[in-house]
Amino acid sequence: MVPIAQQKIDLLEVSVYATRKEMGQAAADLGAARIRELLKERESVNIILGSAPSQLELYAALLTSGLDFGRIHAFHMDEYLGLAPDAPQGFGNYLKEHLFQHAGFRSVHYINGQADNPAAECARYAALLEAYPPDVIFEGIGENGHLAFNDPGVADFHDPARVKISNMDEVCRAQQVHDGCFASLEEVPRQAVTLTIPQLTPPEATLVITVPGPTKAQAVYHTLCGPITEACPASILRRHPHATLVLDRDAAANTGLVKV
C-alpha cells in the first residue's frame, strides 16, 4: 500500500491512505511484518487488540496475512462491566466473531466482564499480561481521544496499575451509539475494565494505531497537533519510539496532511 501522505510528528510515524481498506491492509502489513521478525527469534509472540468497528479492515487483512496464528497469544484491551455473557456488544465477543474464531491462535485471553469481583478480575488479567508482555499492540483512538477506556479525566500517563476499572465519560458512551453497537445512550454501560495507558504504550512494544472516518478527525487533530496531555490521552503516542498511526483520508482531514 502506498500512502498519500506521511510525516513524523515527534516520535510518532503517521501514514495516511486514500481508503479504509488500504488503511487496514497497511496496518496489518506493518504489524504482521513485526510479528514475523519476532517469530524468527522465538517460539511465540504476544499481541493485544482493540475491539471496535474501526478495526474491521485490520482484522480482515490480518486473516489473509499468512501469519502463523498458532504461535500467537492474544489479549484484548477493554471490556464492559455488566453485559450478558453472550451480548454482541461485548468486546471479547466482538473479537471472537470477527477474528478469533477464524484463526487458530495459540491462546486467547478474555477479560470477564461478568466477574463477581471486578477488582479481582483486574488483578487476574494484569498477572496474565505480566506473564505474556505484549510485543505488538493493535489499537485505535476514540472520539474523545481515549486509548481503550482511558478517557479524559480517567487517563493517567503514569498509572501504577496494568488493568483498572474505568468510569466511561459521556463522549465515550455516545461513541458506542455512533458505532452502531447500542441503540441508545441509556443502553451503554457506565463502567468497564481497561488496560491502562502504560500497559498500552510499553516502550519495548510495537504499536499500530488504526483510525478511520470523519468522526475521528477532531481526535486525530488533538492527538497530532495539540499538547501532549491527559486531556487527549492519545497524544502520549507522540512519545513512543515504535508507534505508527495509520489513518484514512477522512480521519486526517483536520491535520493539514492531506487536501480535502
Side-chain angles (χ1 to χ4, degrees), residues 26-42 44-47 62 67 72 134-138 203-208 240 242 244:
D29 289 347
L30 185 64
R34 179 57 180 155
I35 291 170
R36 289 191 183 95
E37 286 179 4
L38 291 168
L39 288 176
K40 292 177 182 177
E41 306 166 359
R42 63 177 79 165
S44 62
V45 168
N46 310 317
I47 69 171
L62 284 174
L67 279 173
I72 300 174
D135 300 300
V136 179
I137 302 177
F138 296 96
E204 65 276 7
T206 296
L207 311 187
V208 181
H240 197 280
H242 309 294
T244 302

Side-chain angles (χ1 to χ4, degrees), residues 44 59 77 83 152 197 205:
S44 62
Y59 303 155
M77 58 184 59
L83 288 181
I197 295 289

